[in-house]
Amino acid sequence: MTATTSKSFWESSRDSLLKIVSSETFLYIVKRVLQALLTIFLASIVSFTIIQFAPGDYLDTLRQNPKISPERILELQQQFGLDKPWHIQYFLWLWRIISAGDFGESFVYQRSVASLIWERVPATLLLAFASLICTWAIAIPLGIFAAVKQNQATDRILQVISYAGQGFPSFITALLLLIFAQITSPLFPVGGMTSIYHAELSPLGKIIDILWHMILPTVALSITSFAGLQRITRGELLDVLRQDYIQTARAKGLPENRVIYVHALRNAINPLITLLGFELSALLSGAFIAEFFFNWPGLGRLTLQAVSSQDLYVLMASLIMGAVLLIVGNLVADLLLKIADPRITLGKS
């Protein structure tokens, strides 16, 4: 009896595993991962090549320092591999990644690039996800409300707010928020991710302290995205509300809330999910400005410092991270589309 039960268990497990392996979604993910590896490889070649067009290198700044001897410059040049042709530098860097997962050493910080990047990524992702949640939680309901109240006073006010939000450059928004913080000081902190007394706080107090420091950077990062998403939501929902099946649903006497939130919104949400794939990468690039103005210790500030100091391997790792986030975001968006609309066949138009 026990042997029969055991055999049945293993057979059912095997069948389940085969079902997963042969499933459309699993095969699609494998295909996308393989495509992603090729895309990242090509992106790394293009990025490395473009960086080489910049005049000089990191050591040019050190050469201007009379306290650093030419022998030390030569030693550093050999240590970082800058004495070799750029294509040799690239393949040596790529081989280190493939063979040892080593992204090289930061010229400025004199430490592993991988440890430096992973130290900064959580802060940037925390800010990006907070902005993403705030943007979608506010823009989607307001877009729906504007579509339902089309051409009424509320709709016109929301359109003005949306156009104003999109018209403001991110750095102007950040500057205005800094002025606001100065006027309302010390209500909103603007420097760093934590307070001076952060280590003395309780676990709950530490969380609140970080969230309090996140308010202004999150607002600065969210305003432009919110304005665009609200307009797109309004437009997509208006298109769906004009469809014949919506008129039929209303003619059948269905409640208006059910018509909008069950029938219309479900079909209008698909283009918004597609946009989600680009949001993560866009937020990463937008975070540069927010992190710079609000002294947020994230990947954006690190990348800007790498550009100004020509810290080659830190800059390459940051660019690859952006490409990975864009690919992951698009993959997640495709899978969410499949969940939202089972009629969609992955990998086919």
Side-chain angles (χ1 to χ4, degrees), residues 9-49:
F9 170 77
W10 288 112
E11 286 179 350
S12 62
S13 299
R14 182 194 61 189
D15 293 342
S16 300
L17 182 60
L18 289 174
K19 185 177 180 181
I20 292 173
V21 171
S22 61
S23 69
E24 173 198 352
T25 303
F26 179 80
L27 293 176
Y28 177 74
I29 292 174
V30 171
K31 178 182 176 182
R32 287 293 297 269
V33 169
L34 295 176
Q35 290 176 345
L37 293 175
L38 177 60
T39 302
I40 292 171
F41 171 67
L42 295 175
S44 67
I45 293 177
V46 173
S47 300
F48 204 95
T49 304

Side-chain angles (χ1 to χ4, degrees), residues 247-267:
Q247 306 305 324
T248 303
R250 284 171 170 163
K252 288 181 178 179
L254 292 178
E256 186 66 13
N257 285 343
R258 183 175 178 81
V259 171
I260 293 171
Y261 294 104
V262 177
H263 296 280
L265 185 59
R266 184 172 182 179
N267 290 281

Side-chain angles (χ1 to χ4, degrees), residues 92-105 111-118 313 317 320-321:
L92 289 174
W93 172 76
L94 185 63
W95 176 248
R96 284 200 303 266
I97 296 174
I98 296 173
S99 61
D102 179 16
F103 283 83
E105 182 180 354
R111 53 180 289 200
S112 165
V113 170
S115 64
L116 196 60
I117 292 291
W118 288 117
Y313 300 129
I320 295 302
M321 181 66 66

Side-chain angles (χ1 to χ4, degrees), residues 264-276:
L265 185 59
R266 184 172 182 179
N267 290 281
I269 204 72
N270 285 358
L272 303 179
I273 295 176
T274 304
L275 286 175
L276 184 64

